[in-house]
Amino acid sequence: DTGVSQDPRHKITKRGQNVTFRCDPISEHNRLYWYRQTLGQGPEFLTYFQNEAQLEKSRLLSDRFSAERPKGSFSTLEIQRTEQGDSAMYLCASSLSGSRETQYFGPGTRLLVL
Amino acid sequence: DAKTTQPPSMDCAEGRAANLPCNHSTISGNEYVYWYRQIHSQGPQYIIHGLKNNETNEMASLIITEDRKSSTLILPHATLRDTAVYYCIEGAGSYQLTFGKGTKLSVIP
């Protein structure tokens, strides 16, 4: 079963360091989404790609965050100069555009900033 | 902010049907009702979605009222592995899904 995969699953870093997460979507899916989830809350949308184009960004996505999907397949999410408030689960989802479109989520990357 | 309203928690006895309600009084004509669940420390898992007709799949049934202002997710025979947070979301399919806090379902032996 080739679902959405994310790497790493866990990351511990010190405040001020940069981190990068990777997401591999379901292979035929043209849309890819990033969400963030803090403890006790539901996931919050960060950004969305259709193929390689980044079409929407939430205001939650500060200047320290950047996402790419260079060839329309895998995506990376980078956080520069991490802060303790960045500690969260970062979730990736993918979907195939069309009627009854459904987003399928990966297992997430849990980030802890010390 | 989430546009749906769900009870914060529910209990269900193992083997019984779990009926999870959701209010979505502001849903527009082209928006679907999606249900996801999230087992502790895992990514959300898609369960089912529908527009106006009732839907059934191998996991659950979705009953949508005729006015589309509310729906009920039914897990016909709850097991301990169904213990999770269940999210009801209204959306047009693409773009962002707006999650609320969901309903924490506890299946009790």
Side-chain angles (χ1 to χ4, degrees):
Chain A
D1 177 14
T2 54
V4 179
S5 61
Q6 293 188 245
D7 184 71
R9 295 292 307 278
H10 303 273
K11 178 73 177 177
I12 300 174
T13 191
K14 293 183 179 178
R15 190 175 51 186
Q17 299 293 303
N18 299 341
V19 294
T20 300
F21 309 141
R22 177 180 171 122
C23 171
D24 286 90
I26 294 171
S27 60
E28 67 269 24
H29 285 186
N30 59 340
R31 290 180 171 158
L32 187 148
Y33 307 78
W34 285 98
Y35 291 80
R36 181 176 72 183
Q37 185 174 26
T38 53
L39 206 59
Q41 305 295 317
E44 296 173 291
F45 171 79
L46 291 178
T47 190
Y48 145 71
F49 290 85
Q50 178 155 312
N51 301 313
E52 65 275 9
Q54 189 173 17
L55 296 186
E56 192 171 340
K57 292 195 289 187
S58 162
R59 62 179 184 276
L60 293 175
L61 211 66
S62 76
D63 291 346
R64 297 184 297 105
F65 287 69
S66 63
E68 294 183 343
R69 194 182 183 202
K71 296 182 181 178
S73 57
F74 73 92
S75 175
T76 58
L77 177 69
E78 181 184 16
I79 309 174
Q80 296 182 325
R81 305 180 303 281
T82 52
E83 301 173 357
Q84 289 183 324
D86 297 330
S87 295
M89 171 88 91
Y90 290 84
L91 293 158
C92 176
S94 71
S95 67
L96 180 64
S97 58
S99 63
R100 297 186 66 82
E101 179 174 344
T102 301
Q103 294 182 30
Y104 295 92
F105 284 80
T109 295
R110 186 170 294 281
L111 172 67
L112 177 61
V113 182
L114 301 176
Chain B
D1 290 348
K3 296 180 283 185
T4 59
T5 305
Q6 299 177 256
S9 64
M10 290 181 64
D11 291 340
C12 178
E14 189 178 16
R16 308 286 286 200
N19 297 292
L20 292 96
C22 178
N23 288 326
H24 31 81
S25 57
T26 61
I27 194 167
S28 60
N30 66 338
E31 288 186 313
Y32 288 82
V33 179
Y34 289 83
W35 283 84
Y36 285 80
R37 73 180 182 185
Q38 191 170 27
I39 296 168
H40 183 62
S41 295
Q42 298 182 21
Q45 178 188 22
Y46 166 77
I47 301 173
I48 199 167
H49 73 288
L51 186 63
K52 51 185 177 181
N53 296 324
N54 297 339
E55 301 282 347
T56 295
N57 64 18
E58 64 279 4
M59 289 183 69
S61 295
L62 175 60
I63 308 297
I64 303 173
T65 58
E66 195 168 338
D67 63 8
R68 301 213 320 127
K69 292 186 176 181
S70 65
S71 62
T72 301
L73 179 76
I74 301 172
L75 308 178
H77 305 286
T79 71
L80 297 178
R81 286 178 291 184
D82 292 321
T83 292
V85 178
Y86 286 76
Y87 297 99
C88 166
I89 303 162
E90 51 181 76
S94 59
Y95 310 119
Q96 61 181 290
L97 295 174
T98 302
F99 289 79
K101 292 192 175 182
T103 295
K104 183 177 171 62
L105 176 69
S106 298
V107 180
I108 301 167

